[in-house]
Each structure stands twice: as structure tokens, then as C-alpha cells.
Amino acid sequence: MAPKWNKGRQIILIEKIENSSKRSVTFSKRKFDAFKKANELSNLCESDVAIIIFSGGGKAFSYGNPNVYAIFDQFVHANSQRALNSASHEFLETQDFTCVREMDARIIEAGDNFKLEQERQKNVVIEDG
């Protein structure tokens, strides 16, 4: 029997995929790989990891170890403590907090999307089961 020759792993140029169905499939595969790498990083380095990925359609996907909410709470509390204990407190008071408000809104929106995704997955499991 003759050996099979395949292309194996190839280097892919990083550019936008024009075909929407191919782009969707690639997103799905890469999303899974990103979550897998985050899990490996968390396990190997005993670190807390959170990832939120938004699809082209605006749908949010998240992974967190131990969970996304715990890591966001830890991040927000750590940043607020640093700001309060900083020697440059006066500078921080004069700074425009628009970016902080936008990030808070995004975190809340991502949390809401995460809850909706969890509910959708529960419904899918119930319907299949």
C-alpha cells in the first residue's frame, strides 16, 4: 500500500477570511483552541484566567477558571485598591473616567451575555435529554 501524502500543518497568512461560512467555521475552531490554551495555562501555572470572545455576530463566549465572575471581581477590586492607595491620588481624581465607565458597561454586558448563553445551553441540554 502506497503511503498517503498530505499537506500536514501549514503556515496560514493572517488576513480576513472573505467567505462568511469559512470564517464562521474558523472562528469556532480557533475559539475552542483559545479556551483550551487558557485552560492549559491555568492548570500549568496555577493562575486565574478569564477570556471573553465576541463573534462577528456580536455573540459573547467566555471561559474562566475558577469562573469568569470571580476573576472580574478580583480584577476590579485590585484596580480600585491600587487607585486608592496610590501616591498619585490627586492625578487620578482629575483624570477622565470615560474609559472606566465604558469598560464597566462592557463587563456588565458580557456578564449578561454569559448568563444568556448559560441559559441557552441548559435549554439545549434539556431539549436533547
Side-chain angles (χ1 to χ4, degrees):
M1 183 172 198
K4 274 186 154 179
W5 297 101
N6 61 17
K7 294 181 179 183
R9 290 186 129 180
Q10 295 181 340
I11 295 176
I12 299 171
L13 294 175
I14 304 298
E15 58 186 21
K16 183 178 179 180
I17 300 171
E18 296 300 328
N19 185 329
S20 63
S21 62
K22 287 183 180 179
R23 186 171 50 243
S24 177
V25 169
T26 301
F27 172 80
S28 179
K29 290 179 181 179
R30 297 273 176 114
K31 173 188 69 165
F32 175 76
D33 289 341
F35 291 162
K36 186 175 169 184
K37 290 291 183 185
N39 184 40
E40 289 175 8
L41 178 66
S42 176
N43 290 335
L44 292 174
C45 301
E46 294 183 0
S47 59
D48 294 339
V49 176
I51 296 178
I52 298 178
I53 300 175
F54 290 92
S55 69
K59 195 171 185 182
F61 300 91
S62 62
Y63 168 82
N65 188 8
N67 67 51
V68 176
Y69 295 113
I71 295 170
F72 282 144
D73 287 343
Q74 183 180 5
F75 178 75
V76 169
H77 285 58
N79 284 340
S80 65
Q81 289 299 320
R82 253 187 259 136
L84 293 174
N85 295 334
S86 174
S88 60
H89 187 69
E90 292 176 28
F91 175 74
L92 291 174
E93 287 179 355
T94 59
Q95 207 174 25
D96 184 18
F97 291 104
T98 306
C99 293
V100 174
R101 288 188 204 118
E102 288 176 6
M103 283 300 291
D104 285 343
R106 285 184 178 180
I107 289 171
I108 290 168
E109 181 182 358
D112 293 342
N113 288 338
F114 179 71
K115 287 177 186 176
L116 289 173
E117 181 65 20
Q118 282 182 326
E119 288 298 320
R120 187 189 67 78
Q121 288 178 356
K122 285 180 186 176
N123 292 337
V124 168
V125 170
I126 291 170
E127 290 173 3
D128 289 343

